[in-house]
Amino acid sequence: MRRIQVVATGGTIASRAGAEGRRATVLAKELLASVGPLPADAEVSARDVVTRGSYAFDTADLLALAREVRGALREGADAVVMTHGTDTMEETAFLFDLAFDDPRPIVLTGAQRPFDDRAADGPANLGDALAVAAADAARGHGPLLVFDGFAFPARGVRKSDTMSAHAFTAPGRGPALRVMDRLVTPLWQPRPSPRLPLDLDLPRLPRVDVVPVYPGADGLFIRSSLAAGAAGVVVEAVGAGNAGPELVEAVAEAVAAGHPVLICSRVHSGPVAPLYAGGGAELQRVGAVFAGDLNPWQARLLLAVASAIPGRSPEALVRAWLAGEDPLSGSGA
């Protein structure tokens, strides 16, 4: 019998409608009871950690959730399933991906429609998540986000629809597993990302802000972010990684002062590259790091985690991670 630990954290999957709007009130025991038959070859237990929407989480909450996963694995669980709000689930999954080097499945799921909706999608998603957690095919993929019949690796997954039950996609990557009638089918072999030696007992991660690019964007937000104590900045650039001259100037100042700057795109799919004179090429010349196809919100966590590792250069760690190399194999200085 495989031991699956369910960790409930609230979100729409645990919400009921009320006079003030939807509120997470449903606890883990009731969530499990809604699923129907549990995996026959698994012993499933559940506990409640927090019961609220993920839009209210900060990095202290994400680290606390990671400690819950760590505790379950240390206690001998063969897999962990976490129910979570969809608003920031892609960030929690990615933090787990950076932190855990363990072949045992860590599976996140949630819902787009509340628990008391006549067409609630939470029970099916949770049932699929349990099936994935119990499946040999899920081992070695790293953390997975299970939603609407698919299991997505943490890196690259993003919420792509505010209301649809098919809420998540992985642009340019796709899902790793498919779930149909609780049967799990592999779609490709696991290719886990490198892990970073994150201390999960930190109170919170260093501040890293995301700065958008738009016509007329200047350096105000970058300078303000650093003045507020940010360790670094992620620029949500236009196109393949471009920004106007005033924002490029602020990036140059930040890098010169020792603050890493990562470049992502506001475009839904595709990588960034330093292609255009005065735009991406100039950002590369002043020292910004191009983050491939990583979305800005996951890039923010990558830089925050790298900035939390003492005695190492955050920029060197980020560059090694993005290249698929062991971030600690070099000097890191």
Side-chain angles (χ1 to χ4, degrees):
M1 295 287 287
R2 291 191 174 175
R3 292 179 54 199
I4 301 175
Q5 177 67 57
V6 175
V7 178
T9 73
T12 299
I13 192 172
S15 293
R16 288 188 170 96
E20 297 178 348
R22 297 173 181 176
R23 187 180 298 277
T25 59
V26 182
L27 300 181
K29 183 177 180 180
E30 193 171 0
L31 289 176
L32 274 181
S34 73
V35 169
L38 301 178
D41 56 349
E43 175 188 326
V44 181
S45 57
R47 63 171 174 255
D48 298 285
V49 176
V50 64
T51 310
R52 67 172 184 264
S54 68
Y55 51 80
F57 288 168
D58 62 17
T59 61
D61 295 302
L62 269 57
L63 288 167
L65 296 184
R67 290 193 292 271
E68 288 291 332
V69 173
R70 180 183 66 183
L73 295 175
R74 285 179 175 176
E75 291 165 7
D78 296 301
V80 180
V81 171
M82 180 174 289
T83 58
H84 193 291
T86 60
D87 283 353
T88 62
M89 198 191 310
E90 65 199 69
E91 282 125 299
T92 301
F94 185 67
L95 180 68
F96 292 174
D97 194 46
L98 293 173
F100 291 107
D101 185 12
D102 195 304
R104 288 174 287 181
I106 301 169
V107 182
L108 292 90
T109 195
Q112 287 283 78
R113 295 187 287 266
F115 186 81
D116 58 355
D117 190 283
R118 62 183 180 181
D121 55 330
N125 285 338
L126 181 52
D128 286 349
L130 291 167
V132 168
D136 290 336
R139 291 181 61 85
H141 275 284
L144 294 164
L145 192 157
V146 171
F147 222 89
D148 196 32
F150 293 96
F152 298 93
R155 181 178 181 177
V157 69
R158 65 191 306 174
K159 188 171 182 179
S160 56
D161 195 291
T162 59
M163 299 291 181
S164 170
H166 187 66
F168 288 89
T169 57
R173 296 174 180 271
L177 307 168
R178 182 167 195 150
V179 192
M180 180 68 69
D181 293 330
R182 309 287 170 87
L183 299 176
V184 179
T185 303
L187 300 178
W188 48 268
Q189 293 301 309
R191 293 174 298 215
S193 300
R195 300 304 189 264
L196 290 169
L198 173 62
D199 179 3
L200 297 181
D201 294 312
L202 290 169
R204 58 179 35 83
L205 294 175
R207 177 172 183 154
V208 173
D209 291 320
V210 177
V211 172
V213 176
Y214 46 85
D218 57 18
L220 172 66
F221 291 151
I222 290 180
R223 296 185 181 103
S224 298
S225 173
L226 298 179
V233 173
V234 174
V235 173
E236 187 183 21
V238 293
N242 299 303
E246 291 185 64
L247 196 141
V248 172
E249 181 182 352
V251 169
E253 293 172 8
V255 173
H259 300 286
V261 178
L262 270 60
I263 306 299
C264 298
S265 180
R266 70 181 194 179
V267 181
H268 185 68
S269 180
V272 288
L275 301 176
Y276 292 90
E282 187 66 10
L283 285 167
Q284 183 186 53
R285 189 190 69 77
V286 301
V289 178
F290 280 69
D293 67 349
L294 206 59
N295 71 53
W297 320 113
Q298 293 191 341
R300 171 183 171 265
L301 280 174
L302 173 62
L303 183 51
V305 168
S307 299
I309 298 171
R312 316 291 296 195
S313 160
E315 179 183 333
L317 290 171
V318 166
R319 287 186 184 276
W321 189 92
L322 289 168
E325 301 168 356
D326 179 358
L328 302 184
S329 61
S331 66

